[in-house]
Amino acid sequence: GCQVSKEPCKQTQALTSYSNEGTQMTVEIHPKDTTPQLFKKHSFGKGPRRLPRLRGQDNKGFQRTEAPRPPGKKDLHAYPWDKSSLKSMPVDLQQFEKLDAYALKVNVKNSVEELVKALLKQARTDLEKVRAIWMWICHHIEYDVVGYHNKSQLSSKPIDVLQMGKSICEGYAGLFEHMCSIAGIQCMKLSGHSKGNGYKMGQTFTGDSDHTWNAVYLDGRWHLLDSTWGSGAVDDSFTKFTFRYNEFYFLTHPALFINNHFPDNSNWQLLKPTLTLKDFENNMLHNSNFYMLGLLTAHPETAVIQTVNGKASVSVDCLSATLFTFKLKGTDEHGLMTLKKHGMKLDLYPQKTGSHKLQIFAKPSKASDVYNCVLEYVVECKSVDKAMRFPKDLHQPVGPSWFTERQGFLRPSHLDPIIHTNDGRCSVTFTLGKDISVLASLHCDSSSLTEDMGRRHIMQIHRGNQIELKIHLPHAGNFVLKIYARKKSDPGNYDYVFNYLITCLNTEVKWPAFPQSYSKWVEDYEILEPLSSLLPANRNVQFKLKMHGIAKVLVQAENAYPLTQSRGYWEGTCNTSGCREVFVMVHENANHSFYSHVLKYEVESQ
């Protein structure tokens, strides 16, 4: 499907075509004043000996390459990907730093030969020659969005592409092939179907091929690359191109390249076994971000996911700690994402039937980078699970993880993102890292739970470096337990760390809030009784509090009732007759004449 331009022949060219049966026919064209010569050349390192090349001389003395051989057994890589490398040969990018910087600065536009000559000044090996050509094209040729829409204005001749500084894929691949040819590197222009701009998940590919890329011959094997996609990207409306260099498409491992490049001639997949067009259509599209972020695999491997009883699940495996987020039809409300040490798991519960677009985003854990879209699925929902409607306040990801561990929340009692309680009570414990102060609040979609009351349904109990969050739910339903932290040494605001989903189906549940505490109530004090902020009227109520470093404790109702100290606890009773509120007050120093309020209770109306 590649066209040969009808330029007058000035230099030795080798035109090679392959029939579907794999028969090879090579036609050599020589200018009158040249004679073909055979010569041998050894590749760098300990690689296999290079095939002899045909050499023709033009006026500038560049070597010409012989007819490229078709791919054979030794070019093939195993499919599926073995997760060993993103490249099809060992490449040390650090060794390219000087060469890359040099190639970017080369500024020659008058002839392709002069450009190659300038680029090769710093390139010794064939790999370095290919790298210099690749870097130059990726940073100097922009995608011609106007020409794409109006092909009559377009020329894909290498000299025109060079001088215009823009082209479409045919021009990129043609210039690459021509420059490699001048540099004495075997190179092929390949065409086929691609999952590029405008690709819709699950679409079928018919008719002519829509994209062109290259194969280069290095170290005795064929390798694949795509300089069009290496150079940048076009916006969704296909009106603006942005240079954004993408290393992924340089010598890409064929088992990854097949993800979005399907050559017309299946031999150029360089895979064993080869994939069918149907395989290509059905396979999940992993874009370059997916692999560049160190992600390895995603499940399911099909682009369309059917829900089962209103639920669909996706998981991703990766090499190192990575942060994820997602959007299902533009929102992250209808799922539970949990972070794993080497990946993430996502359970989705769409609240409407039909087709939903799912996007999954990721970023490295230490980077302040933005999230990049790494996966797209279509979720087909046949039935809705109404019980799994989550509160709006639920943040993704849910539950503890390596991330919360880094924030100082160690050894969580509950590893799952959901805590189920039948009687409306539960308790979550952690070992805290040094110097951490915790704030927790409870949220649900009903407006009855104010922010202040949301905090009052949680009681913190500290024992050494252990923290227990005791939770009493005000009613049945789905709740979010949000956990915030700050350094004690840093008196700034609390930062959100993570959350749990707490569910209770028991409609009998109706726990009152814990007593209101004041600033003098110290972190490691503890209430043993009464836990409810609402005390019965006209009753004797037993008090038991754990407090230290205090001279006296008084319970102030209609009358004052002193508590007595015994084995670290302050105990006693108080009568609630004739009052609406009860306060616990402490005398911090026997020499002081005033008491400080630490707790407040309400008394039920009579």
Side-chain angles (χ1 to χ4, degrees), residues 197-255:
N197 202 293
Y199 166 72
K200 297 277 187 292
M201 277 179 291
Q203 80 174 55
T204 53
F205 291 89
T206 53
D208 294 340
S209 51
D210 58 32
H211 190 47
T212 312
W213 58 93
N214 295 100
V216 287
Y217 193 76
L218 293 168
D219 261 14
R221 283 180 102 178
W222 283 107
H223 303 272
L224 302 168
L225 45 77
D226 185 341
S227 57
T228 312
W229 290 12
S231 66
V234 175
D235 63 353
D236 289 339
S237 62
F238 224 88
T239 53
K240 184 172 180 284
F241 170 80
T242 306
F243 275 112
R244 192 183 302 124
Y245 176 67
N246 195 336
E247 175 62 43
F248 181 73
Y249 293 107
F250 179 70
L251 310 183
T252 317
H253 194 293

Side-chain angles (χ1 to χ4, degrees), residues 541-557:
V541 177
Q542 182 71 29
F543 276 77
K544 186 175 184 182
L545 307 170
K546 186 179 178 184
M547 295 187 283
H548 56 81
I550 281 169
K552 288 180 187 172
V553 181
L554 206 63
V555 178
Q556 179 68 54

Side-chain angles (χ1 to χ4, degrees), residues 186-404:
Q186 291 190 38
C187 179
M188 288 287 290
K189 194 162 66 168
L190 306 175
S191 56
H193 294 294
S194 69
K195 293 181 179 177
N197 202 293
Y199 166 72
K200 297 277 187 292
M201 277 179 291
Q203 80 174 55
T204 53
F205 291 89
T206 53
D208 294 340
S209 51
D210 58 32
H211 190 47
T212 312
W213 58 93
N214 295 100
V216 287
Y217 193 76
L218 293 168
D219 261 14
R221 283 180 102 178
W222 283 107
H223 303 272
L224 302 168
L225 45 77
D226 185 341
S227 57
T228 312
W229 290 12
S231 66
V234 175
D235 63 353
D236 289 339
S237 62
F238 224 88
T239 53
K240 184 172 180 284
F241 170 80
T242 306
F243 275 112
R244 192 183 302 124
Y245 176 67
N246 195 336
E247 175 62 43
F248 181 73
Y249 293 107
F250 179 70
L251 310 183
T252 317
H253 194 293
L256 302 181
F257 204 73
I258 193 66
N259 197 22
N260 43 21
H261 293 75
F262 188 83
D264 293 334
N265 179 338
S266 62
N267 291 335
W268 285 108
Q269 292 179 22
L270 306 184
L271 291 175
K272 185 183 178 186
T274 52
L275 276 70
T276 64
L277 184 59
K278 197 88 196 131
D279 296 331
F280 178 71
E281 288 169 348
N282 292 341
N283 277 359
M284 191 58 221
L285 173 61
H286 295 158
N287 62 26
S288 58
N289 287 330
F290 183 91
Y291 295 108
M292 295 300 270
L293 281 165
L295 310 187
L296 299 171
T297 54
H299 301 279
E301 290 175 345
T302 50
V304 180
I305 312 171
Q306 309 286 344
T307 58
V308 177
N309 300 326
K311 176 184 176 183
S313 296
V314 174
S315 64
V316 175
D317 297 324
C318 55
L319 283 168
S320 55
T322 305
L323 290 168
F324 292 89
T325 180
F326 75 94
K327 289 267 185 282
L328 181 69
K329 227 173 181 175
T331 169
D332 67 357
E333 284 174 24
H334 307 302
L336 274 184
M337 178 178 272
T338 49
L339 293 181
K340 310 286 178 201
K341 197 170 187 180
H342 295 293
M344 72 87 183
K345 186 172 189 299
L346 172 61
D347 291 330
L348 294 160
Y349 302 90
Q351 293 298 300
K352 283 184 181 167
T353 55
S355 286
H356 304 275
K357 180 180 176 181
L358 169 65
Q359 293 171 295
I360 293 171
F361 304 85
K363 72 173 183 177
S365 65
K366 289 195 171 83
S368 55
D369 305 4
V370 292
Y371 279 96
N372 277 305
C373 184
V374 290
L375 280 173
E376 285 192 11
Y377 288 95
V378 171
V379 179
E380 298 278 2
C381 179
K382 293 188 178 69
S383 64
V384 170
D385 183 352
K386 292 286 186 203
M388 297 307 276
R389 179 170 286 175
F390 303 126
K392 287 189 173 61
D393 277 306
L394 190 69
H395 274 280
Q396 307 294 339
V398 186
S401 65
W402 57 265
F403 177 76
T404 55

Side-chain angles (χ1 to χ4, degrees), residues 46 76 99 139 160 176 184 223 289 315 323-324 327 369 371 376 452 456 461 502 538 546 554 566 586 603:
K46 294 179 181 159
L76 304 184
L99 178 66
H139 290 84
D160 293 339
F176 196 94
H223 303 272
N289 287 330
S315 64
L323 290 168
F324 292 89
K327 289 267 185 282
D369 305 4
Y371 279 96
E376 285 192 11
D452 179 50
R456 296 257 317 269
I461 300 162
I502 302 176
N538 306 318
K546 186 179 178 184
L554 206 63
S566 161
V586 298
V603 178

